[in-house]
Amino acid sequence: MRNISIVIAGAVAIAAVVGGVYLATKPGSPSAQSAPAPGAGTAAPAAPAALPPELQITATDHAMGPADAAVTIVEYASMTCGHCASFHTTVLPELKKKYVDTGKVRFVYRDFPLDEVAARAAQLAECVGNERYFAIVDMIFRGQAQWAAAKDPIAELVKSLRIAGLPEDAAKTCLADQKVLDAILLERQGGDKLGVNSTPTLFVNGQRLTGGRTMAELDEILSKLIK
């Protein structure tokens, strides 16, 4: 797993650091992605007595599943991370079917951009509104191999999102909205405070799990938390 060393002190400093990282990385390249942790254990995390403030679910979070679910999973991911794309296209659909749609798990997605392109892609996802948010995130991850490898990744992504009903003018307006970008980068700062240093990182009832997880591993963990 590739750790990243960006330390963020505030929204303005975050923007400067992320921009600097982008100069040294290209979406879709090994330097812009985090590798999974092979052989990681699957011991069931115990629900903590009190979660840290950064793991409290707020009205600004993007969540699927009931608020009173037995288990809450919070994911920190980067839209230019290949292992995040793999999790979203191969594991999350099954997790949603087995646990989220049945009311057993609440799943929360948070951005942890590894570079400027990931931050901009996250902005575009915010443009579509809450009702379509997860569908657009899924579309972005499924098309990652194409748009992230383009000469101008964001222009390519904007082109793709027109099919999903996001006009180019609206996309450009969203990308120019500094408040949206600041919110995404502050979300990343919250991940930093929780010790996130690679993607994807999952918090299962507060317990951190790093690296790509298979559905079998999650089944084992969740079976010990859901009675």
PDB file of all heavy atoms in Angstrom, residues 208-227:
ATOM      1  N   ARG A 208     -10.627   1.234  11.869  1.00  0.00           N
ATOM      2  CA  ARG A 208     -10.035   1.486  10.550  1.00  0.00           C
ATOM      3  C   ARG A 208      -9.562   0.201   9.883  1.00  0.00           C
ATOM      4  O   ARG A 208      -8.903  -0.643  10.487  1.00  0.00           O
ATOM      5  CB  ARG A 208      -8.846   2.445  10.682  1.00  0.00           C
ATOM      6  CG  ARG A 208      -8.261   2.859   9.342  1.00  0.00           C
ATOM      7  CD  ARG A 208      -7.210   3.929   9.501  1.00  0.00           C
ATOM      8  NE  ARG A 208      -6.049   3.448  10.233  1.00  0.00           N
ATOM      9  CZ  ARG A 208      -4.975   4.204  10.492  1.00  0.00           C
ATOM     10  NH1 ARG A 208      -4.957   5.458  10.100  1.00  0.00           N
ATOM     11  NH2 ARG A 208      -3.964   3.704  11.158  1.00  0.00           N
ATOM     12  N   LEU A 209      -9.927   0.063   8.605  1.00  0.00           N
ATOM     13  CA  LEU A 209      -9.470  -1.039   7.764  1.00  0.00           C
ATOM     14  C   LEU A 209      -8.832  -0.413   6.529  1.00  0.00           C
ATOM     15  O   LEU A 209      -9.478   0.332   5.811  1.00  0.00           O
ATOM     16  CB  LEU A 209     -10.637  -1.938   7.337  1.00  0.00           C
ATOM     17  CG  LEU A 209     -11.479  -2.580   8.435  1.00  0.00           C
ATOM     18  CD1 LEU A 209     -12.663  -3.312   7.809  1.00  0.00           C
ATOM     19  CD2 LEU A 209     -10.646  -3.533   9.269  1.00  0.00           C
ATOM     20  N   THR A 210      -7.580  -0.714   6.274  1.00  0.00           N
ATOM     21  CA  THR A 210      -6.897  -0.133   5.128  1.00  0.00           C
ATOM     22  C   THR A 210      -6.752  -1.156   4.012  1.00  0.00           C
ATOM     23  O   THR A 210      -6.731  -2.362   4.240  1.00  0.00           O
ATOM     24  CB  THR A 210      -5.506   0.372   5.527  1.00  0.00           C
ATOM     25  OG1 THR A 210      -4.742  -0.714   6.071  1.00  0.00           O
ATOM     26  CG2 THR A 210      -5.596   1.490   6.552  1.00  0.00           C
ATOM     27  N   GLY A 211      -6.660  -0.658   2.798  1.00  0.00           N
ATOM     28  CA  GLY A 211      -6.452  -1.525   1.641  1.00  0.00           C
ATOM     29  C   GLY A 211      -7.746  -2.058   1.068  1.00  0.00           C
ATOM     30  O   GLY A 211      -8.816  -1.985   1.674  1.00  0.00           O
ATOM     31  N   GLY A 212      -7.650  -2.597  -0.134  1.00  0.00           N
ATOM     32  CA  GLY A 212      -8.817  -3.173  -0.777  1.00  0.00           C
ATOM     33  C   GLY A 212      -9.294  -4.412  -0.038  1.00  0.00           C
ATOM     34  O   GLY A 212      -8.508  -5.300   0.290  1.00  0.00           O
ATOM     35  N   ARG A 213     -10.561  -4.488   0.250  1.00  0.00           N
ATOM     36  CA  ARG A 213     -11.163  -5.613   0.967  1.00  0.00           C
ATOM     37  C   ARG A 213     -12.088  -6.383   0.042  1.00  0.00           C
ATOM     38  O   ARG A 213     -12.850  -5.796  -0.724  1.00  0.00           O
ATOM     39  CB  ARG A 213     -11.946  -5.125   2.181  1.00  0.00           C
ATOM     40  CG  ARG A 213     -11.077  -4.435   3.215  1.00  0.00           C
ATOM     41  CD  ARG A 213     -10.234  -5.413   3.991  1.00  0.00           C
ATOM     42  NE  ARG A 213      -9.167  -4.746   4.733  1.00  0.00           N
ATOM     43  CZ  ARG A 213      -8.590  -5.247   5.818  1.00  0.00           C
ATOM     44  NH1 ARG A 213      -8.970  -6.427   6.281  1.00  0.00           N
ATOM     45  NH2 ARG A 213      -7.629  -4.597   6.421  1.00  0.00           N
ATOM     46  N   THR A 214     -12.031  -7.690   0.128  1.00  0.00           N
ATOM     47  CA  THR A 214     -12.928  -8.516  -0.669  1.00  0.00           C
ATOM     48  C   THR A 214     -14.272  -8.620   0.034  1.00  0.00           C
ATOM     49  O   THR A 214     -14.400  -8.344   1.230  1.00  0.00           O
ATOM     50  CB  THR A 214     -12.347  -9.922  -0.857  1.00  0.00           C
ATOM     51  OG1 THR A 214     -12.303 -10.588   0.428  1.00  0.00           O
ATOM     52  CG2 THR A 214     -10.945  -9.869  -1.455  1.00  0.00           C
ATOM     53  N   MET A 215     -15.288  -9.076  -0.691  1.00  0.00           N
ATOM     54  CA  MET A 215     -16.591  -9.260  -0.089  1.00  0.00           C
ATOM     55  C   MET A 215     -16.538 -10.357   0.964  1.00  0.00           C
ATOM     56  O   MET A 215     -17.205 -10.267   2.003  1.00  0.00           O
ATOM     57  CB  MET A 215     -17.624  -9.619  -1.168  1.00  0.00           C
ATOM     58  CG  MET A 215     -19.073  -9.500  -0.683  1.00  0.00           C
ATOM     59  SD  MET A 215     -19.517  -7.820  -0.193  1.00  0.00           S
ATOM     60  CE  MET A 215     -19.995  -8.081   1.530  1.00  0.00           C
ATOM     61  N   ALA A 216     -15.711 -11.362   0.746  1.00  0.00           N
ATOM     62  CA  ALA A 216     -15.582 -12.445   1.726  1.00  0.00           C
ATOM     63  C   ALA A 216     -15.029 -11.909   3.045  1.00  0.00           C
ATOM     64  O   ALA A 216     -15.488 -12.299   4.136  1.00  0.00           O
ATOM     65  CB  ALA A 216     -14.681 -13.548   1.174  1.00  0.00           C
ATOM     66  N   GLU A 217     -14.045 -11.017   2.976  1.00  0.00           N
ATOM     67  CA  GLU A 217     -13.484 -10.429   4.188  1.00  0.00           C
ATOM     68  C   GLU A 217     -14.518  -9.586   4.909  1.00  0.00           C
ATOM     69  O   GLU A 217     -14.642  -9.641   6.143  1.00  0.00           O
ATOM     70  CB  GLU A 217     -12.264  -9.583   3.840  1.00  0.00           C
ATOM     71  CG  GLU A 217     -11.044 -10.385   3.426  1.00  0.00           C
ATOM     72  CD  GLU A 217      -9.891  -9.495   2.984  1.00  0.00           C
ATOM     73  OE1 GLU A 217     -10.118  -8.560   2.186  1.00  0.00           O
ATOM     74  OE2 GLU A 217      -8.764  -9.754   3.433  1.00  0.00           O
ATOM     75  N   LEU A 218     -15.270  -8.803   4.144  1.00  0.00           N
ATOM     76  CA  LEU A 218     -16.297  -7.971   4.772  1.00  0.00           C
ATOM     77  C   LEU A 218     -17.424  -8.822   5.353  1.00  0.00           C
ATOM     78  O   LEU A 218     -17.973  -8.496   6.409  1.00  0.00           O
ATOM     79  CB  LEU A 218     -16.843  -6.966   3.753  1.00  0.00           C
ATOM     80  CG  LEU A 218     -15.860  -5.880   3.314  1.00  0.00           C
ATOM     81  CD1 LEU A 218     -16.491  -4.988   2.246  1.00  0.00           C
ATOM     82  CD2 LEU A 218     -15.412  -5.034   4.504  1.00  0.00           C
ATOM     83  N   ASP A 219     -17.772  -9.915   4.678  1.00  0.00           N
ATOM     84  CA  ASP A 219     -18.781 -10.835   5.217  1.00  0.00           C
ATOM     85  C   ASP A 219     -18.358 -11.340   6.600  1.00  0.00           C
ATOM     86  O   ASP A 219     -19.168 -11.394   7.533  1.00  0.00           O
ATOM     87  CB  ASP A 219     -18.965 -12.035   4.283  1.00  0.00           C
ATOM     88  CG  ASP A 219     -19.913 -11.753   3.134  1.00  0.00           C
ATOM     89  OD1 ASP A 219     -20.823 -10.912   3.296  1.00  0.00           O
ATOM     90  OD2 ASP A 219     -19.752 -12.373   2.066  1.00  0.00           O
ATOM     91  N   GLU A 220     -17.089 -11.723   6.710  1.00  0.00           N
ATOM     92  CA  GLU A 220     -16.593 -12.257   7.983  1.00  0.00           C
ATOM     93  C   GLU A 220     -16.660 -11.207   9.084  1.00  0.00           C
ATOM     94  O   GLU A 220     -17.043 -11.491  10.215  1.00  0.00           O
ATOM     95  CB  GLU A 220     -15.147 -12.753   7.800  1.00  0.00           C
ATOM     96  CG  GLU A 220     -14.573 -13.393   9.065  1.00  0.00           C
ATOM     97  CD  GLU A 220     -13.162 -13.920   8.848  1.00  0.00           C
ATOM     98  OE1 GLU A 220     -12.718 -14.013   7.677  1.00  0.00           O
ATOM     99  OE2 GLU A 220     -12.514 -14.238   9.855  1.00  0.00           O
ATOM    100  N   ILE A 221     -16.266  -9.991   8.744  1.00  0.00           N
ATOM    101  CA  ILE A 221     -16.293  -8.898   9.717  1.00  0.00           C
ATOM    102  C   ILE A 221     -17.724  -8.561  10.118  1.00  0.00           C
ATOM    103  O   ILE A 221     -18.057  -8.470  11.319  1.00  0.00           O
ATOM    104  CB  ILE A 221     -15.602  -7.648   9.138  1.00  0.00           C
ATOM    105  CG1 ILE A 221     -14.103  -7.916   8.989  1.00  0.00           C
ATOM    106  CG2 ILE A 221     -15.843  -6.425  10.033  1.00  0.00           C
ATOM    107  CD1 ILE A 221     -13.383  -6.872   8.171  1.00  0.00           C
ATOM    108  N   LEU A 222     -18.597  -8.393   9.134  1.00  0.00           N
ATOM    109  CA  LEU A 222     -19.968  -7.966   9.404  1.00  0.00           C
ATOM    110  C   LEU A 222     -20.782  -9.029  10.116  1.00  0.00           C
ATOM    111  O   LEU A 222     -21.677  -8.723  10.894  1.00  0.00           O
ATOM    112  CB  LEU A 222     -20.638  -7.551   8.099  1.00  0.00           C
ATOM    113  CG  LEU A 222     -20.043  -6.311   7.430  1.00  0.00           C
ATOM    114  CD1 LEU A 222     -20.670  -6.066   6.071  1.00  0.00           C
ATOM    115  CD2 LEU A 222     -20.212  -5.073   8.320  1.00  0.00           C
ATOM    116  N   SER A 223     -20.473 -10.297   9.873  1.00  0.00           N
ATOM    117  CA  SER A 223     -21.217 -11.375  10.520  1.00  0.00           C
ATOM    118  C   SER A 223     -21.047 -11.350  12.023  1.00  0.00           C
ATOM    119  O   SER A 223     -21.906 -11.845  12.781  1.00  0.00           O
ATOM    120  CB  SER A 223     -20.766 -12.737   9.966  1.00  0.00           C
ATOM    121  OG  SER A 223     -19.436 -13.025  10.365  1.00  0.00           O
ATOM    122  N   LYS A 224     -19.940 -10.767  12.504  1.00  0.00           N
ATOM    123  CA  LYS A 224     -19.677 -10.692  13.929  1.00  0.00           C
ATOM    124  C   LYS A 224     -20.274  -9.431  14.560  1.00  0.00           C
ATOM    125  O   LYS A 224     -20.298  -9.300  15.788  1.00  0.00           O
ATOM    126  CB  LYS A 224     -18.174 -10.751  14.188  1.00  0.00           C
ATOM    127  CG  LYS A 224     -17.556 -12.060  13.708  1.00  0.00           C
ATOM    128  CD  LYS A 224     -16.040 -12.014  13.778  1.00  0.00           C
ATOM    129  CE  LYS A 224     -15.437 -13.300  13.209  1.00  0.00           C
ATOM    130  NZ  LYS A 224     -13.958 -13.285  13.176  1.00  0.00           N
ATOM    131  N   LEU A 225     -20.732  -8.528  13.731  1.00  0.00           N
ATOM    132  CA  LEU A 225     -21.310  -7.281  14.234  1.00  0.00           C
ATOM    133  C   LEU A 225     -22.824  -7.214  14.067  1.00  0.00           C
ATOM    134  O   LEU A 225     -23.487  -6.455  14.747  1.00  0.00           O
ATOM    135  CB  LEU A 225     -20.688  -6.090  13.490  1.00  0.00           C
ATOM    136  CG  LEU A 225     -19.192  -5.844  13.726  1.00  0.00           C
ATOM    137  CD1 LEU A 225     -18.701  -4.743  12.793  1.00  0.00           C
ATOM    138  CD2 LEU A 225     -18.933  -5.481  15.182  1.00  0.00           C
ATOM    139  N   ILE A 226     -23.343  -8.003  13.139  1.00  0.00           N
ATOM    140  CA  ILE A 226     -24.776  -7.981  12.863  1.00  0.00           C
ATOM    141  C   ILE A 226     -25.401  -9.268  13.376  1.00  0.00           C
ATOM    142  O   ILE A 226     -25.082 -10.366  12.928  1.00  0.00           O
ATOM    143  CB  ILE A 226     -25.044  -7.841  11.354  1.00  0.00           C
ATOM    144  CG1 ILE A 226     -24.444  -6.531  10.838  1.00  0.00           C
ATOM    145  CG2 ILE A 226     -26.536  -7.896  11.053  1.00  0.00           C
ATOM    146  CD1 ILE A 226     -24.453  -6.411   9.338  1.00  0.00           C
ATOM    147  N   LYS A 227     -26.257  -9.153  14.325  1.00  0.00           N
ATOM    148  CA  LYS A 227     -26.895 -10.335  14.928  1.00  0.00           C
ATOM    149  C   LYS A 227     -28.254 -10.598  14.292  1.00  0.00           C
ATOM    150  O   LYS A 227     -28.928  -9.708  13.848  1.00  0.00           O
ATOM    151  CB  LYS A 227     -27.057 -10.137  16.443  1.00  0.00           C
ATOM    152  CG  LYS A 227     -25.746  -9.767  17.149  1.00  0.00           C
ATOM    153  CD  LYS A 227     -24.701 -10.830  16.958  1.00  0.00           C
ATOM    154  CE  LYS A 227     -23.414 -10.453  17.687  1.00  0.00           C
ATOM    155  NZ  LYS A 227     -22.332 -11.446  17.464  1.00  0.00           N
TER     156      LYS A 227
END
